[in-house]
Amino acid sequence: MRWWKILGLAGVAGVAATGVAIARAERRRRAYTPEEIRIRLRERVEGQPEGRRS
């Protein structure tokens, strides 16, 4: 029975760690202003080969 408790706690810790990672990524994504996003998208499009642009 003890192994099941350890396994369960490890699972809970893994879920919590995943939630923290997702929250950090979301905060980082939302930190950009709309103008910064436009600039980054334009830079990304300019860096693509001619055949890949849509």
Side-chain angles (χ1 to χ4, degrees):
M1 188 69 163
R2 184 175 181 187
W3 287 104
W4 287 109
K5 288 181 183 179
I6 293 172
L7 186 61
L9 289 175
V12 169
V15 169
T18 302
V20 168
I22 291 171
R24 282 184 181 172
E26 184 69 17
R27 246 181 298 161
R28 200 175 300 136
R29 186 182 69 79
R30 290 181 185 249
Y32 295 116
T33 64
E35 186 59 32
E36 289 173 326
I37 293 171
R38 281 187 208 99
I39 291 169
R40 291 180 66 150
L41 287 173
R42 287 182 185 132
E43 288 172 353
R44 192 181 298 176
V45 169
E46 289 171 3
Q48 289 183 351
E50 282 296 318
R52 297 282 302 189
R53 292 186 188 174
S54 49

